């Protein structure tokens, strides 16, 4: 009606305050807890089971349990990586999958545990091979272990101190596809473990050992050596760049990180090639006994 007071429009009801989400660092820390329990727990259960049920000596059960846990982690990582990368094909930078932020915190305790497991295997190796049972003093044993496994220990430290913060905090949700591809590098680990188990049981001259060596060579080549050119190619395809132009389009730190990750893979691949050649070389090229 004319002259009637017009009531002001009703304002929308205020929504209740939203509690802030859990910080990424806290969420990653919480997701580490299952890994802290699972991997060491599986190792202890496997070692006790092998010793009690299969009758393995404690030293041999330790080595077998460590290989089992490594293989389980490798299967888990490869499966998660395949799911992540296959789900992020449309946009390799922006596409996301929940496993990309959930799996790294779960897996990072494995690398801490595995350093200790490798040390236990180092202590048991003399007994497994039938050498004298006397154990060296802990400082000498630790020094010998570091001399023998220095590259692997540095690799595990880098995974915990560098790769884990990058995967959980620094990426800010981008590049899940590339993280999934990197996780699939673990596909070669079960073949490494099987080869060491066959050598442990002195089955290195069997057909199974030769087939395993070929499988290790192919999976390591595909998933750890050719992986890096493939990642550069996928990024270039996303940006519309030729493969050879991708390094110059990336920040120098990215190329340095890729080179640091690829260098030990090339070294290990050289060792694998040398071992495979020794396994398959013709009889005429066998070294003569002294």
């Amino acid at each position: 009606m004319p002259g009637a007071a017009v009531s002001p429009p009703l304002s929308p009801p205020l929504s209740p305050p939203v509690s802030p989400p859990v910080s990424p660092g806290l969420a990653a820390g919480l997701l580490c807890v299952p890994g802290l329990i699972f991997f060491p727990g599986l190792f202890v259960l496997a070692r006790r089971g092998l010793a009690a049920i299969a009758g393995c000596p404690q030293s041999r059960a330790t080595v077998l349990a460590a290989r089992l846990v490594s293989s389980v982690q490798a299967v888990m990582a490869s499966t998660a990586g395949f799911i992540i990368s296959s789900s992020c094909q449309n946009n390799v930078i922006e596409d996301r999958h929940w496993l990309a932020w959930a799996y790294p915190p779960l897996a990072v305790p494995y690398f801490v545990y595995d350093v200790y497991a490798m040390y236990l295997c180092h202590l048991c190796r003399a007994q497994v091979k039938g050498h004298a049972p006397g154990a060296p003093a802990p400082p000498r044993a630790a020094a010998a272990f570091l001399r023998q496994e220095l590259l692997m220990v540095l690799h595990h430290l880098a995974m915990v101190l560098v790769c884990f913060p990058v995967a959980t905090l620094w990426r800010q949700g981008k590049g899940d596809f590339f993280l999934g591809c990197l996780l699939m590098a673990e596909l070669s680990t079960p073949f490494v473990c099987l080869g060491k188990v066959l050598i442990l049981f002195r089955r290195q001259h069997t057909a199974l050992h030769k087939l395993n060596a070929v499988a290790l060579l192919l999976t390591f080549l595909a998933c750890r050596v050719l992986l890096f050119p493939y990642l550069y190619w996928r990024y270039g395809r996303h940006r519309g760049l030729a493969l050879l132009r991708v390094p110059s389009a990336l920040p120098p730190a990215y190329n340095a990180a890729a080179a640091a990750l690829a260098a030990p893979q090339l070294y290990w691949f050289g060792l694998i090639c040398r071992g495979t050649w020794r396994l398959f070389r013709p009889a005429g090229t066998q070294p003569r006994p002294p």
Side-chain angles (χ1 to χ4, degrees):
M1 294 177 58
V6 179
S7 59
L10 295 176
S11 59
L14 296 176
S15 58
V18 180
S19 58
V22 178
S23 66
L26 179 58
L30 293 175
L31 287 171
C32 285
V33 175
L36 287 170
I37 299 172
F38 176 73
F39 295 111
L42 179 60
F43 172 76
V44 171
L45 290 176
R47 184 171 62 171
R48 290 182 178 178
L50 288 167
I53 300 174
C56 287
Q58 188 69 17
S59 57
R60 180 166 291 184
T62 299
V63 175
L64 292 176
R67 303 304 175 204
L68 173 64
V69 176
S70 296
S71 298
V72 169
Q73 192 281 142
V75 171
M76 292 171 59
S78 301
T79 303
F82 176 78
I83 294 173
I84 294 168
S85 59
S86 61
S87 302
C88 301
Q89 294 286 331
N90 294 330
N91 189 321
V92 296
I93 301 297
E94 300 293 340
D95 285 353
R96 303 193 64 181
H97 193 280
W98 65 270
L99 276 175
W101 61 264
Y103 187 76
L106 176 68
V108 73
Y110 162 79
F111 295 98
V112 180
Y113 140 81
D114 195 48
V115 172
Y116 180 66
M118 288 191 300
Y119 177 68
L120 291 180
C121 293
H122 172 78
L123 295 180
C124 295
R125 191 169 292 119
Q127 297 181 19
V128 170
K129 292 183 178 180
H131 295 169
R140 291 181 57 189
F145 166 70
L146 289 177
R147 284 195 302 269
Q148 184 174 355
E149 301 288 351
L150 179 60
L151 183 57
M152 186 64 72
V153 172
L154 292 177
H155 170 269
H156 282 32
L157 288 176
M159 295 297 295
V160 175
L161 300 178
V162 179
C163 296
F164 173 61
V166 168
T168 55
L169 301 175
W170 182 80
R171 287 191 313 118
Q172 297 182 348
K174 297 185 182 296
D176 284 8
F177 170 82
F178 298 103
L179 176 61
C181 292
L182 290 170
L183 288 174
M184 283 195 290
E186 291 292 327
L187 188 62
S188 62
T189 300
F191 302 106
V192 175
C193 295
L194 178 58
K196 292 184 177 181
V197 169
L198 291 173
I199 294 174
L200 175 64
F201 285 96
R202 300 181 180 179
R203 298 292 186 269
Q204 62 266 39
H205 302 296
T206 61
L208 177 59
H209 185 67
K210 293 183 177 181
L211 289 174
N212 182 75
V214 173
L216 171 60
L217 181 69
L218 295 178
T219 54
F220 202 99
L221 174 64
C223 298
R224 289 182 179 259
V225 177
L226 298 180
L227 168 67
F228 294 95
Y230 173 73
L231 295 180
Y232 273 68
W233 175 75
R234 284 304 302 263
Y235 181 78
R237 182 182 177 187
H238 171 76
R239 291 281 307 274
L241 299 173
L243 175 61
L244 296 179
R245 295 183 57 191
V246 172
S248 61
L250 291 171
Y254 286 37
N255 294 316
L261 288 173
Q265 314 305 327
L266 294 173
Y267 171 75
W268 286 323
F269 184 66
L271 296 180
I272 292 171
C273 290
R274 186 173 65 179
T276 305
W277 163 249
R278 288 177 177 176
L279 192 61
F280 285 94
R281 62 186 169 187
T285 61
Q286 297 286 345
R288 295 181 179 181

